[in-house]
Amino acid sequence: MAADEVRYERVGAAAVLTIDRPERRNAIDGPTAERLARAYEAFAADDGARVLVVTGAGGVSFCAGADLKAIETFAPRLVDPGGPLGFTRRIPAKPAIAAIDGWCLAGGLELALWCDLRIATDTSTLGFPERRFGVPLVDGGTQRLPRIVGLGRALDLILTGRLVGAREALALGLVGEVVGPGAHLDRALAIADGLAAFPQETMLADRRAAYDGLGLPLADGLAVEARNGATTFADAAAGAARFAAGEGRGGAGAGV
């Protein structure tokens, strides 16, 4: 495997993880998955890297999933706790954004679903076409997609294997934003900069509460939120003082 098939680089407070196998539509074989796993570990261990941006090189594909021409290289990874594509059976240690351009298929869509946020260009196409060949979803797709778009919409995509364009994906809630050609990475980095500028302890506590409370009865979820909120009281008090002093009035600075 060429050394640059997986690139990991810091861009300010963001870490950009790029799959660079355009001749295979950025499909991932076993060795590539190993490199992705190592890149993720580097991100998780780097306190200065506050957001991970995952993207694909070449302008044709975000990721076409597992490289079915090298399927034998995945045998050892099927029981790997990190997941066949490297880290898809973990919850991201910090916020992650998928910057999607072109094909986002099969395990590639599962990789995008692993991220907290998804940005897609208006020419992107997403779906699970492996349904036609009896290849299962094993990188979290059956669990994450229903949590993102609801069970009915998820089953539509999982069972039929149909492909959806970026605008339909936006309407389904599958992606959060659609941008023009080539603007996906810049937009993802702009969002990453905004997230990195927020008080981190509170943002990460709220994110953790959302993940930990998912699927719990409401009362239990509220208890999770209360515990997480209690750990950030000092930051909350400091932020309230800034607002009381006049900062952020009229919604100034809201959103990224």
Side-chain angles (χ1 to χ4, degrees):
M1 181 182 64
D4 61 354
E5 287 190 342
V6 172
R7 299 198 308 273
Y8 177 85
E9 55 190 324
R10 283 285 301 279
V11 180
V16 179
L17 178 56
T18 304
I19 304 167
D20 193 353
R21 305 184 79 222
E23 75 286 354
R24 300 293 305 135
R25 292 192 174 182
N26 294 326
I28 298 169
D29 60 8
T32 307
E34 294 289 345
R35 289 184 65 85
L36 287 171
R38 292 197 294 271
Y40 171 76
E41 293 293 348
F43 165 70
D46 185 351
D47 291 337
R50 293 185 166 185
V51 180
L52 180 66
V53 175
V54 183
T55 194
V60 173
S61 179
F62 169 74
C63 176
D67 189 341
L68 299 185
K69 291 187 176 181
I71 196 67
E72 72 283 351
T73 65
F74 279 100
R77 298 206 55 84
L78 293 177
V79 294
D80 190 291
L85 295 189
F87 46 74
T88 45
R89 288 181 183 152
R90 303 180 183 183
I91 294 174
K94 291 168 281 189
I97 304 170
I100 300 166
D101 185 27
W103 301 104
C104 179
L105 305 176
L109 178 52
E110 293 182 276
L111 182 59
L113 295 171
W114 175 86
C115 296
D116 300 293
L117 306 175
R118 284 157 295 282
I119 308 299
T121 59
D122 52 14
T123 56
S124 295
T125 302
L126 304 87
F128 293 122
E130 70 268 43
R131 175 58 57 228
R132 296 170 295 169
F133 308 111
V135 177
L137 280 63
V138 291
D139 279 285
T142 64
Q143 302 305 302
R144 291 191 176 97
L145 186 58
R147 288 166 165 82
I148 293 168
V149 304
L151 180 61
R153 289 174 169 176
L155 286 173
D156 173 24
L157 298 180
I158 291 169
L159 296 179
T160 68
R162 73 182 183 91
L163 305 182
V164 299
R167 293 294 170 183
E168 183 177 358
L170 179 65
L172 292 171
L174 181 53
V175 301
E177 188 172 341
V178 175
V179 297
H184 56 301
L185 184 55
D186 285 345
R187 179 57 181 145
L189 288 171
I191 294 172
D193 283 345
L195 297 183
F198 290 143
Q200 293 296 292
E201 184 177 354
T202 302
M203 184 185 71
L204 293 176
D206 285 347
R207 178 179 179 272
R208 186 167 56 250
Y211 273 113
D212 290 349
L214 195 65
L216 294 178
L218 178 58
D220 294 340
L222 291 171
V224 169
E225 180 185 82
R227 288 194 299 272
N228 278 275
T231 67
T232 66
F233 181 78
D235 278 1
R242 287 165 48 202
F243 179 78
E247 184 177 338
R249 295 296 171 85
V256 293

